[in-house]
Amino acid sequence: MRSWEKNIRKVTPYTPGEQPQRDGIIKLNTNENPYPPSQKFMQKLKEMQGGSLRLYPDPAAKTLVDALAAYHGLLPEQVFVGVGSDDVLAMSFLTFFQSSKPVLFPDITYSFYDVWAELFQIPYERPPLAEDFTIVPGDYFRDNGGVIFPNPNAPTGIAMELEAVREILEHNQDVVVIVDEAYVDFGADSALPLIKEYENLLLVRTFSKSRSLAGLRIGYAIGSPALIRYLNDVKFSFNSYTMNQPSIYLGAAAMEDEEYFQGTLRKIVDTREWAKKELLALGFTFHDSKANFIFARHETCAAEELYDALRKADIYVRHFQQERIRDYLRITVGTREEMEVLIRFLKKYLRP
Ligand code: PMP
């Protein structure tokens, strides 16, 4: 190591899923929505005026915050917005996890959590999921510096009942509890009703999955005005203008077409349930996913082999090298047509 390298912050970064830069790929590797944003939204995009881009955006992103507050029936003081939920989560780690006691999150979960913990030098422990990959609420009933988990969990897709979330909150009144609801719209119960009861509960959501806008980079947090104030203080100490002007305007526009939103959700959930039956018939096993992906293993064929074979056929899925889940593939639910191509390929590959 050269002498000037000694005092540099060294981190092992998170590895995002691949974004291939060519057409013709069935892309089931990063949990994007297979459907485009609504026509109404596209119209707003076309009508957008660029003139005001010479100005800085509104640092409070009020148009977007107000739209989200109105949508959820909350006060604007209960909403915080960021550049994708990754930005919101990073800010939340920085703001809320300041204790010398360990923050708790499951051993198998969104693999960015330990990266942020390492980056911000936050102590953490990872209680293992049960044998059936469910989160064990009792593991979070001990002294800690904060709690975070996704509901449904990723990459398992398993949802936790609202009562279990409440139990975790009941046992964690003196720390901040973050529920990452990136995939909640696909069939899990949101902890939104608990917001008025627990001042220390923060929900984090994203426009990247259910709202078909991964490319726009919008995420948000919902919580008590006190929590949101702390988050804003840190955000304004870091970067006043995280949200760009088109995102503020278009994000608000994206909340307007509820019918289209519910329609795409329904299609994805129907396709997911259809794909589960097909995968089961092909010898796959999986837990009951309530997200827009299925986390599956095959009874005889190794995940890595399948991953490579699928990739050669231009079907991209996700495989993690982490212990306990090496035998699994995470398959994003695409359109029905895309899933039919996947199933046809698997039928041929697994039963030559
Ligand atoms: N939380 C979870 C559980 C996720 O899987 C993802 C997607 N990688 C995110 C948060 C971040 O998504 P985004 O930054 O696109 O909102």
Side-chain angles (χ1 to χ4, degrees):
M1 195 189 296
R2 285 151 288 194
S3 57
W4 55 265
E5 287 180 299
K6 221 171 38 233
N7 295 320
I8 287 177
R9 188 183 300 269
K10 294 172 198 74
V11 285
T12 308
Y14 171 76
T15 314
E18 207 176 333
Q19 292 299 122
Q21 299 297 311
R22 66 182 171 91
D23 295 334
I25 288 166
I26 296 191
K27 195 172 174 305
L28 309 175
N29 66 332
T30 48
N31 297 342
E32 289 138 331
N33 197 307
Y35 300 105
S38 76
Q39 279 305 318
K40 263 194 198 165
F41 175 90
M42 296 309 282
Q43 193 54 38
K44 287 263 167 76
L45 177 62
K46 277 195 206 120
E47 288 166 6
M48 215 170 57
Q49 304 282 329
S52 57
L53 286 176
R54 70 184 183 80
L55 301 174
Y56 282 110
D58 168 16
K62 189 168 167 12
T63 307
L64 178 56
V65 166
D66 286 353
L68 284 164
Y71 183 83
H72 289 297
L74 301 164
L75 300 170
E77 294 75 24
Q78 293 176 283
V79 178
F80 173 86
V81 293
V83 187
S85 54
D86 280 343
D87 179 46
V88 176
L89 288 163
M91 286 293 125
S92 302
F93 269 67
L94 192 56
T95 309
F96 300 122
F97 297 156
Q98 264 276 70
S99 169
S100 55
K101 294 174 194 163
V103 167
L104 304 179
F105 49 84
D107 65 337
I108 294 162
T109 193
Y110 185 29
S111 51
F112 223 139
Y113 297 162
D114 51 350
V115 175
W116 286 314
E118 295 281 348
L119 175 65
F120 299 134
Q121 300 174 356
I122 300 164
Y124 62 97
E125 279 175 28
R126 296 182 292 186
L129 296 181
E131 207 51 43
D132 65 358
F133 279 1
T134 53
I135 292 174
V136 183
D139 290 348
Y140 299 82
F141 298 173
R142 60 179 165 100
D143 212 20
N144 64 64
V147 173
I148 178 165
F149 57 89
N151 193 28
N153 195 11
T156 63
I158 300 173
M160 192 191 281
E161 305 248 319
L162 197 54
E163 273 320 294
V165 177
R166 182 193 286 282
E167 256 191 291
I168 290 177
L169 278 156
E170 278 299 314
H171 285 85
N172 287 282
Q173 299 282 309
D174 53 357
V175 292
V176 174
V177 176
I178 302 177
V179 183
D180 177 351
E181 295 194 335
Y183 302 102
V184 78
D185 291 326
F186 300 104
D189 285 336
S190 170
L192 196 63
L194 303 183
I195 286 289
K196 24 183 198 318
E197 289 176 60
Y198 299 94
E199 249 196 323
N200 60 324
L201 167 63
L202 191 82
L203 304 185
V204 178
R205 298 263 189 108
T206 179
F207 281 40
S208 301
K209 322 291 178 182
S210 56
R211 295 203 178 266
S212 303
L213 286 172
L216 210 51
R217 308 304 298 128
I218 300 177
Y220 61 106
I222 297 170
S224 61
L227 278 188
I228 300 301
R229 222 172 12 248
Y230 281 120
L231 255 182
N232 270 314
D233 284 348
V234 169
K235 171 233 151 112
F236 282 110
S237 309
F238 187 79
N239 177 358
S240 314
Y241 305 108
T242 49
M243 303 304 287
N244 65 62
Q245 210 180 93
S247 290
I248 295 172
Y249 170 75
L250 292 170
M255 306 306 290
E256 285 171 19
D257 202 338
E258 184 66 16
E259 201 180 321
Y260 180 83
F261 172 63
Q262 294 296 342
T264 51
L265 282 184
R266 221 168 13 249
K267 279 197 279 188
I268 291 166
V269 169
D270 288 351
T271 306
R272 178 185 74 205
E273 296 310 309
W274 173 83
K276 281 180 183 171
K277 284 192 204 121
E278 296 289 322
L279 289 170
L280 203 59
L282 285 168
F284 284 90
T285 51
F286 41 83
H287 306 280
D288 188 25
S289 170
K290 297 288 185 206
N292 66 336
F293 52 84
I294 301 168
F295 197 52
R297 65 183 287 179
H298 192 261
E299 59 194 3
T300 54
C301 191
E304 210 162 352
E305 179 192 327
L306 266 181
Y307 171 85
D308 287 336
L310 284 164
R311 208 182 142 81
K312 283 198 187 105
D314 278 347
I315 303 171
Y316 285 28
V317 297
R318 193 93 195 253
H319 176 248
F320 299 94
Q321 281 297 352
Q322 193 187 341
E323 220 180 301
R324 288 188 87 185
I325 57 171
R326 249 177 233 141
D327 294 340
Y328 287 80
L329 293 177
R330 192 195 66 189
I331 305 165
T332 303
V333 178
T335 61
R336 172 70 181 245
E337 294 71 31
E338 287 174 324
M339 298 310 273
E340 280 171 2
V341 175
L342 167 80
I343 297 294
R344 262 201 309 278
F345 175 87
L346 290 172
K347 268 184 189 153
K348 248 177 46 206
Y349 188 80
L350 295 166
R351 298 196 190 130

